[in-house]
Amino acid sequence: MSSFYRDLKKAELHLHLEGSLEASTIHEMHPNISKEEVAAKYAEKGFSAFLESYKWVSVLLETPDHYALATRRLLGQLQTENVEYVELTLSVGVILWKQQNVAAIFDAVNKEARKSAIPCFWIFDFIRHFDLDHAMRVAELAAERARDGVVGFGCGGDEARGSALTFVPAFQLAQRAGLRLAPHAGETSNAQSVWDALEVGADRIGHGIRAVEDPALLRRLRQDGIPLEVCISSNVATGAVEHLLCHPLRRIADAGVSVILNTDDPAMFGTTLSEEYERAEQLGFSRDELRLLAETSFQFGFNKQVGSPQ
Ligand code: ADE
Ligand code: ZN
């Protein structure tokens, strides 16, 4: 790969800690699990298979030390790529489902974040498959840590299993605590899912690529300055888009909607942020446009004290 992509100073805003676990780190945590076994799990295609693999890898994080190691490895890797600001999503919904101690895990990962040279903040994420009580519990935990590194609140999982509107009280609780909202929407479902995310007060949209199907929605995103966190390799691997060259990134950007490039689950999708910039070039972005994308990625960070270093 050309060093152009790596040398760009970049912000990464949509990255799940659990999806960053490399086979070597898993093998280090669980010597009985071979790197080949991990590679086979990660190679499975399609969105349902991806969610199963995500659950599988999340279950391997058994202790606060495992979470700390995952964070340390990830931040070390991001440094080699000139990532100069990061917001990591922690699947707190999954931690609750595993009946683990959220406070102990967050203390462990946040300690690693503070040691890093990269400004690193957190987004707590609930799972749409569960009910409102579950989402409320995640929102309460996020609110408790609002002055301790948590800057955002979101949701993941299968959009087909529930509209963001089901969870309005949880989003409101997070907002009242000063958190910003970044739900997944319009990834595998449809444009309506993005409208619903806007209605609950989304400040950024995770994926949002289905917006391309609705000109009125594209206008609304542009007018309100709501950016889409686009994850090209993820969309190809999960089948959210059929093929790289069918990806709607170019059309969305041409409609004047702000976009940010991200990796989503980099180890699972075998990508890096630098490679995502390369993918965007394959979709027709010039090097000047890529420089601009990298510069503006900082502007959408939820921690406003941290601006672009460029
Ligand atoms: N959790 C982690 N990655 C996700 C994705 N791409 N979509 C929904 N939930 C997720
Ligand atoms: Zn995601």
Side-chain angles (χ1 to χ4, degrees):
M1 198 207 306
S2 148
S3 63
F4 169 79
Y5 313 104
R6 198 186 47 80
D7 291 347
L8 289 172
K9 292 176 177 170
K10 303 173 278 293
E12 163 83 87
L13 305 181
H14 186 132
L15 200 180
H16 301 265
L17 177 66
E18 296 81 353
S20 75
L21 267 181
E22 296 289 348
S24 53
T25 312
I26 293 177
H27 184 66
E28 198 177 330
M29 290 173 184
H30 301 280
N32 58 323
I33 301 178
S34 70
K35 292 180 197 164
E36 290 72 27
E37 192 181 337
V38 179
K41 277 272 176 213
Y42 285 180
E44 286 177 22
K45 296 288 173 214
F47 191 70
S48 306
F50 157 70
L51 286 181
E52 279 307 310
S53 302
Y54 188 81
K55 199 163 126 188
W56 176 81
V57 76
S58 298
V59 168
L60 300 179
L61 291 163
E62 290 176 346
T63 63
D65 280 351
H66 283 167
Y67 276 90
L69 179 63
T71 309
R72 195 155 64 244
R73 287 284 144 75
L74 173 58
L75 291 171
Q77 198 274 328
L78 294 180
Q79 237 180 312
T80 68
E81 279 196 77
N82 278 318
V83 171
E84 298 202 348
Y85 176 87
V86 64
E87 288 173 11
L88 296 180
T89 297
L90 185 66
S91 288
V92 171
V94 173
I95 299 174
L96 289 177
W97 169 74
K98 290 190 286 177
Q99 302 191 326
Q100 291 172 326
N101 183 332
V102 175
I105 288 172
F106 184 66
D107 285 341
V109 296
N110 204 25
K111 195 167 158 196
E112 292 298 329
R114 292 211 179 109
K115 277 195 264 177
S116 170
I118 306 176
C120 174
F121 299 91
W122 297 94
I123 295 173
F124 278 14
D125 203 58
F126 70 88
I127 312 295
R128 305 170 98 113
H129 306 208
F130 301 139
D131 61 10
L132 175 61
D133 281 351
H134 160 89
M136 291 297 281
R137 186 73 200 111
V138 178
E140 282 160 11
L141 290 162
E144 279 168 22
R145 298 302 187 118
R147 267 160 294 281
D148 190 19
V150 177
V151 293
F153 179 69
C155 59
D158 185 358
E159 284 171 80
R161 300 279 289 270
S163 159
L165 296 175
T166 314
F167 304 103
V168 164
F171 287 113
Q172 286 176 338
L173 195 162
Q175 273 180 326
R176 281 198 302 276
L179 300 175
R180 311 288 298 283
L181 307 182
H184 287 64
E187 176 189 15
T188 51
S189 170
N190 51 31
Q192 184 57 46
S193 177
V194 180
W195 283 111
D196 291 355
L198 292 178
E199 200 171 327
V200 304
D203 297 288
R204 300 193 310 242
I205 306 286
H207 298 279
I209 54 173
R210 303 279 158 191
V212 77
E213 295 161 10
D214 184 342
L217 176 57
L218 289 172
R219 266 197 308 281
R220 169 76 185 276
L221 290 165
R222 175 165 51 81
Q223 279 160 6
D224 290 1
I226 305 288
L228 303 186
E229 302 161 357
V230 174
C231 311
I232 304 170
S233 299
S234 161
N235 296 151
V236 176
T238 62
V241 302
E242 226 170 277
H243 184 271
L244 171 65
L245 297 178
C246 309
H247 198 285
L249 175 66
R250 180 79 258 179
R251 279 179 288 152
I252 291 168
D254 286 347
V257 176
S258 297
V259 293
I260 312 150
L261 299 180
N262 304 276
T263 57
D264 204 11
D265 300 285
M268 300 184 73
F269 301 132
T271 192
T272 62
L273 190 56
S274 306
E275 285 174 85
E276 294 304 299
Y277 278 76
E278 186 176 23
R279 298 278 121 78
E281 189 166 40
Q282 290 168 323
L283 293 173
F285 283 72
S286 69
R287 295 236 161 155
D288 280 345
E289 285 177 308
L290 295 178
R291 274 188 208 99
L292 199 61
L293 274 186
E295 258 170 56
T296 53
S297 63
F298 290 89
Q299 159 194 330
F300 295 110
F302 286 156
N303 187 308
K304 285 300 168 204
Q305 291 98 296
V306 183
S308 165
Q310 311 203 22

